[in-house]
Amino acid sequence: MSMSNVLVTGGAGYIGSHCVRQLLGQGWRAVVLDDFSTGFKDLLISDEWVEGSTLDKRRVKQILRDYDISAVMHFAACAYVGESVENPEKYYENNVQGTLRLLSAMREEGVNQFIFSSSCATYGVPNQLPLTEDHPLNPVNPYGFTKRVVEQMLADFSVAYDLNYVSLRYFNAAGADPGGQLGECHDPETHLIPLILQVATGERENITVFGTDYDTKDGTCVRDYIHINDIGKAHLLALKYLQGGGTSDVFNIGTEVGNTVREVILACEKVTGKSITMVVGERRPGDPPALVASAEKIRRILKWEPEYTDLESIVETAWAWEQKRTQVLSETAG
Ligand code: UFG
């Protein structure tokens, strides 16, 4: 199989940058397209990058031609659930329209391999756990809807046109590359693990737990925290799968283990050796009580296995990064 050139949209973001590192590490050429609205120039691993948006179809077509791109990994998206409720237009424009223009550019340039960053947010409130890929898609917020719409777009395009895709439904991306140069950073930060670790560093005073009255083992929400490098590994396997003639498909990426918010706080206390002050808050609108993946399909078809299978080992990598973050990131997003 020949190594070819991959366009990585959103390659300066948390998940995209980790995937770029793995692509380059395995000998692929990775060209990043990022508008730096939420990405960071300090997270650019590839020397080859273009500042721009997928909404700019003419620009995207030019990049596909200039760099002789044969596959696209599409990470660029807005990804705040709360913001998507307040400003759905931004989400439909960037996530749906941006993807439509990207796919249209690919079609016109004859690029037909696509790997999509989807989300467990497409499922909504589960009927049963663990979630398998055939579970109905009933998202409970506009963010989840935009991902669901794109999945439908991909299914329709693959029937009508020459498009082969893999859609990867991430559960809760967490942790950092142990190398220390990459890690999680959002501005503003809303994700649980970095917020807890920022209490440990003293950057924040406490962590508010969004609801302690859920029907779960300790009353707090359950999530499946999956290490960022295991997500990256799934992308590389998906790319090889498509290059080897694999048919379009959808896969969950998760550890198949659910952890409550309290368990995450305890793991962070253990790893950091600091006590974390916890404040009980209201439920956050749009939060499903529990989301846990079945990863049976991706294991079986892509031969993917997670390297990080316990929460503490994931938190250890996140903690190593959190202590370096302000040195690595000299700027803020935007
Ligand atoms: N949580 C708190 N306090 C906080 C932050 C989070 O209790 O200050 C809880 C949440 O209620 C949730 C869990 O911690 O139960 C994890 O919350 P995150 O915000 O870290 O992540 P989400 O589970 O909301 O992730 C969702 C989707 C992803 C999507 C992501 C977008 O599941 O697919 O939002 O940012 F990508």
Side-chain angles (χ1 to χ4, degrees), residues 64 102-112 157 160-162:
L64 296 176
L102 173 61
L103 290 173
S104 172
M106 287 173 62
R107 192 159 82 84
E108 289 174 22
E109 294 302 323
V111 179
N112 68 355
F157 275 43
Y161 314 126
D162 178 24

Side-chain angles (χ1 to χ4, degrees), residues 122-191:
T122 52
Y123 293 116
V125 179
N127 301 332
Q128 92 278 330
L129 294 176
L131 280 151
T132 49
E133 289 82 352
D134 56 4
H135 184 283
L137 302 181
N138 294 312
V140 290
N141 52 61
Y143 166 73
F145 263 104
T146 64
K147 295 288 176 181
R148 183 189 156 178
V149 171
V150 171
E151 284 202 359
Q152 187 62 49
M153 204 189 296
L154 291 171
D156 294 339
F157 275 43
S158 72
V159 171
Y161 314 126
D162 178 24
L163 174 73
N164 298 308
Y165 73 91
V166 167
S167 183
L168 297 171
R169 293 183 186 148
Y170 316 151
F171 281 63
N172 285 56
D177 179 54
Q181 287 308 301
L182 295 176
E184 183 163 14
C185 187
H186 303 95
D187 187 13
E189 189 54 80
T190 61
H191 293 87

Side-chain angles (χ1 to χ4, degrees), residues 215-234:
D215 184 17
T216 59
K217 64 178 169 185
D218 63 19
T220 65
C221 285
V222 171
R223 293 289 182 273
D224 181 336
Y225 295 90
I226 172 77
H227 194 269
I228 191 78
N229 278 355
D230 287 326
I231 293 180
K233 204 158 87 177

